[in-house]
Amino acid sequence: MREVLSSDPAYQSRSAWERLAEAVERHPDHLALICAHQRPGLYGLGDQSHEPHGQWSFGALYEGIIRLSASLESLGLSNDCLLFVILGNSLEHVLTTWAGYRLGCTHVSVHPNTLSNAVEARHVVQTVLDNRPSPKAAVFVQDEAAAKEFDQLFPQLDVIRIIIRNDQPAPSSWTSFDQLMKPGQTPSGPLTSPPSRETSIFFSSGTTSLPKPCEMNVPAWISSLASGSTLGLVRPGDRLMSLVPCSHVLGYMGQMFALTHGATLVYPSYLAFDPRTTIETLRGVPCKYIVMVSALVHAFISADLSSTPLPPIDTVIFSGMTLSTAVAKEFQTRVGTRAIENLYGMTEGAFCATGPVEDLESISRDGFLAAGRPMAGSKLRLCAPNSTEPLPPGVAGEVHY
């Protein structure tokens, strides 16, 4: 196949904020978020006594977003400001992402480990600042160690500095996230009105030694993926577990689709993947869908699942690298998932997906799973190396989006 164009390029976009507000209005008491690694009742949100882990309904999550957006607004953060979110999978990451969207800020999700690489960290932050001039910027980090690293890297940078974990007084020049979450302030403007735009910036490995920034139009991106991926099938009452950090576009996909579709987002851990913790969480909190990078498949295959079988899993969505048919079949048998989807694409927002597939042989060739079909608005070509000219049918080449 020389060239493939998605079959339905004329799709309609709704803002992510409108989708979330609709889920809150229709399902305020449904669970929106479960964080197995966090305690219940953080910031006075949700139930504080009955569960061993943190869990928050759509109503509680929405209350937290409104509180945080009001506090950020009082600090002067508004349309076109930058929010550097250097956090792992957590309630705070979710609150910060959505508060930023509500205010019209540009959301920049950065892996926390980036701070340990001075060259990469300076490149990431400075690249955004140079290319997206903004009236004001804020940075969110998890703890005092991360705050110290950031201060050493950017001692003169004029940004609002916010720290999450603050068992002791906040370091000098840092604001406590807990302080921002105290009830009291009222945000200006209607709560359900869509923001002027919703933009996120992610960094991919690209073709250079340093990460490459990728700016995403969030509403168009959500609508495109919903046209052919399993993510578009998520419904209220479903549970979706994400095993990928939110700084990775696949982890972000999990958050967006679960919350905008009225489903429950499940995080078994903050950052590092641990098979035992994940399996224990799945046994206590059965999930219909899982999103994970293909590199984690061997950890599941080698895990001891003999003592107590996992609850039924409908579909596991893989992404990040090619997946052999033999390994995918072994995973399907061992874990017991009904179907597997292979999601392939670029961080910039052009994706292919197979959709949920039970018979993996039907999407296999030469021992590997197919990349799938382009989503709405995406275009794919197979070209010769160092060329943009499409190859004839049946000839192997490089994928161009």
Side-chain angles (χ1 to χ4, degrees):
M1 183 174 292
R2 299 177 60 199
E3 183 173 332
V4 179
L5 179 66
S6 61
S7 58
D8 183 21
Y11 55 88
Q12 298 295 318
S13 293
R14 295 174 59 205
S15 77
W17 180 258
E18 286 177 301
R19 296 171 190 258
L20 177 67
E22 182 179 61
V24 172
E25 182 179 359
R26 292 184 176 183
H27 315 287
D29 298 324
H30 285 198
L31 280 182
L33 178 65
I34 295 175
C35 292
H37 58 291
Q38 294 191 279
R39 64 177 177 83
L42 284 171
Y43 314 112
L45 300 173
D47 193 338
Q48 302 185 39
S49 58
H50 299 301
E51 297 294 336
H53 50 245
Q55 59 179 47
W56 297 272
S57 68
F58 276 92
L61 190 68
Y62 189 77
E63 178 187 346
I65 294 167
I66 295 305
R67 278 193 215 168
L68 180 59
S69 62
S71 293
L72 295 179
E73 193 174 38
S74 72
L75 295 175
L77 293 164
S78 58
N79 201 41
D80 291 330
C81 290
L82 295 170
L83 298 187
F84 291 92
V85 186
I86 313 178
L87 301 173
N89 295 346
S90 58
L91 170 65
E92 292 85 1
H93 191 293
V94 174
L95 293 174
T96 304
T97 298
W98 286 96
Y101 286 156
R102 184 189 173 274
L103 295 174
C105 298
T106 297
H107 162 262
V108 186
S109 196
V110 181
H111 196 290
N113 291 350
T114 301
L115 293 177
S116 62
N117 184 325
V119 173
E120 190 170 298
R122 290 192 180 102
H123 165 77
V124 165
V125 173
Q126 201 59 53
T127 297
V128 175
L129 293 174
D130 289 344
N131 291 278
R132 288 299 301 266
S134 70
K136 192 164 288 191
V139 60
F140 298 78
V141 300
Q142 178 65 19
D143 50 30
E144 191 169 349
K148 184 177 179 180
E149 286 182 312
F150 189 89
D151 285 341
Q152 290 174 341
L153 289 167
F154 307 101
Q156 304 301 321
L157 191 60
D158 182 18
V159 295
I160 299 168
R161 301 166 192 241
I162 299 167
I163 185 170
I164 306 299
R165 186 168 296 162
N166 191 27
D167 300 329
Q168 299 176 347
S172 175
S173 77
W174 287 83
T175 298
S176 165
F177 189 86
D178 184 72
Q179 187 65 33
L180 299 180
M181 288 301 297
K182 292 187 182 302
Q185 296 203 61
T186 302
S188 63
L191 302 186
T192 57
S193 61
S196 58
R197 66 176 181 177
E198 294 165 324
T199 303
S200 280
I201 296 175
F202 290 86
F203 280 81
S204 71
S205 56
T207 56
T208 66
S209 60
L210 291 172
K212 179 180 67 174
C214 305
E215 183 173 316
M216 297 171 59
N217 179 319
V218 176
W221 176 87
I222 291 175
S223 295
S224 176
L225 262 178
S227 69
S229 170
T230 300
L231 293 167
L233 303 177
V234 175
R235 294 293 180 265
D238 292 340
R239 290 189 185 127
L240 183 151
M241 175 178 282
S242 177
L243 303 181
V244 188
C246 283
S247 53
H248 188 291
V249 70
L250 180 61
Y252 175 81
M253 290 177 195
Q255 179 184 147
M256 288 293 107
F257 274 89
L259 298 181
T260 59
H261 286 65
T264 304
L265 175 65
V266 180
Y267 287 143
S269 56
Y270 177 72
L271 200 59
F273 170 71
D274 178 65
R276 182 177 178 180
T277 300
T278 301
I279 289 168
E280 289 176 353
T281 303
L282 278 170
R283 285 174 176 154
V285 185
C287 295
K288 186 173 183 178
Y289 303 107
I290 300 177
V291 294
M292 58 188 287
V293 291
S294 303
L296 301 181
V297 67
H298 292 287
F300 267 97
I301 290 174
S302 60
D304 181 13
L305 302 175
S306 58
S307 56
T308 306
L310 291 176
I313 300 168
D314 185 86
T315 305
V316 176
I317 304 167
F318 286 105
S319 187
M321 59 183 289
T322 56
L323 186 62
S324 75
T325 304
V327 170
K329 282 183 173 181
E330 186 177 0
F331 176 90
Q332 188 177 29
T333 300
R334 289 272 294 153
V335 176
T337 178
R338 180 190 67 85
I340 282 176
E341 172 176 316
N342 198 25
L343 180 62
Y344 187 85
M346 300 175 68
T347 302
E348 288 86 340
F351 296 104
C352 290
T354 63
V357 177
E358 295 184 56
D359 178 14
L360 298 183
E361 286 292 345
S362 67
I363 58 167
S364 297
R365 181 172 178 178
D366 298 330
F368 290 92
L369 299 187
R373 294 181 177 275
M375 300 294 94
S378 296
K379 186 176 182 179
L380 182 150
R381 293 182 178 183
L382 294 182
C383 303
N386 303 315
S387 170
T388 57
E389 289 299 316
L391 289 165
V395 179
E398 294 180 344
V399 176
H400 287 239
Y401 284 92

